[in-house]
Amino acid sequence: DVLVNNAGFAYKAADPTPFKGQTEKTLAINYYGLVDFTERMIPLVRKGQDPRIVNVASQSGFLKQVQPDLQKKFVDENLTIDKLNALMKEFAQAVHDGNHKERGWSGSNYGMSKLGVIAATRIWARQESGMISINSCCPGYCATDMSSHKGPRPAEEGAKNAVIPATMESPPTG
């Protein structure tokens, strides 16, 4: 009855790969992989007795990393997965063209991928209202391989933020 999407990838700050070279892989794993998998799983999850989806996002997915005109697009109540995919492709194209900051986009591939996850969560929560409880959560900065074990919290503490909406009675959605 529960799907927890916890895949995540980030380049280390010391990685020599140029920003432009990091975009495709980061979005492919953190955003497109999650969206594609979830879209395929929703019909199966919907059949559960108490179906839930929890997407592990990040505080890095904050809305204000993009300019106000783009913020409006990410929170538009008429946003669909297709339109969101187009927005994410627009970001990737702007990075490829070397003008993403001038066009109001973030300077963080990881942050953009997680903003996409949060927006997708809101879309699915709206579409599946009354059928599936769908939420996103942030585990916080944890001591994991991804943070080079620099986070102040153990991974077990961060995991609780996904376990709570996955197991609580009558969870909210969205």
Side-chain angles (χ1 to χ4, degrees):
D1 289 15
V2 178
L3 168 62
V4 176
N5 287 309
N6 188 40
F9 169 82
Y11 281 88
K12 305 283 186 200
D15 191 294
T17 308
F19 184 80
K20 184 189 295 190
Q22 297 178 8
T23 304
E24 185 177 333
K25 182 176 180 180
T26 303
L27 294 180
I29 294 170
N30 296 354
Y31 173 73
Y32 291 111
L34 180 144
V35 167
D36 292 345
F37 184 72
T38 303
E39 288 280 292
R40 293 170 194 236
M41 293 302 295
I42 283 176
L44 297 172
V45 173
R46 196 183 292 133
K47 294 178 182 180
Q49 291 184 351
D50 188 13
R52 300 162 189 230
I53 296 174
V54 180
N55 295 319
V56 178
S58 170
Q59 61 193 4
S60 296
F62 64 101
L63 186 60
K64 289 188 177 182
Q65 68 185 295
V66 297
Q67 293 300 313
D69 60 318
L70 292 169
Q71 291 175 24
K72 290 176 187 172
K73 293 179 181 182
F74 278 93
V75 298
D76 186 334
E77 289 299 316
N78 296 312
L79 185 63
T80 64
I81 292 296
D82 287 340
K83 289 179 184 176
L84 179 57
N85 285 342
L87 271 175
M88 299 303 285
K89 287 179 182 165
E90 192 178 317
F91 164 70
Q93 185 62 51
V95 170
H96 177 74
D97 294 345
N99 62 5
H100 61 285
K101 289 185 180 178
E102 294 85 359
R103 291 175 56 189
W105 294 102
S106 174
S108 169
N109 287 311
Y110 181 78
M112 283 302 303
S113 72
K114 293 303 184 172
L115 176 57
V117 167
I118 293 166
T121 301
R122 291 171 43 93
I123 292 166
W124 291 319
R126 193 174 62 246
Q127 291 174 345
E128 298 296 324
S129 180
M131 294 179 278
I132 304 175
S133 170
I134 304 177
N135 292 286
S136 60
C137 68
C138 173
Y141 190 47
C142 297
T144 63
D145 290 345
M146 196 159 94
S147 70
S148 299
H149 296 276
K150 293 180 182 174
R153 310 172 64 188
E156 298 80 11
E157 285 297 312
K160 288 179 183 177
N161 289 343
V163 171
I164 291 169
T167 61
M168 71 187 292
E169 195 164 322
S170 302
T173 190

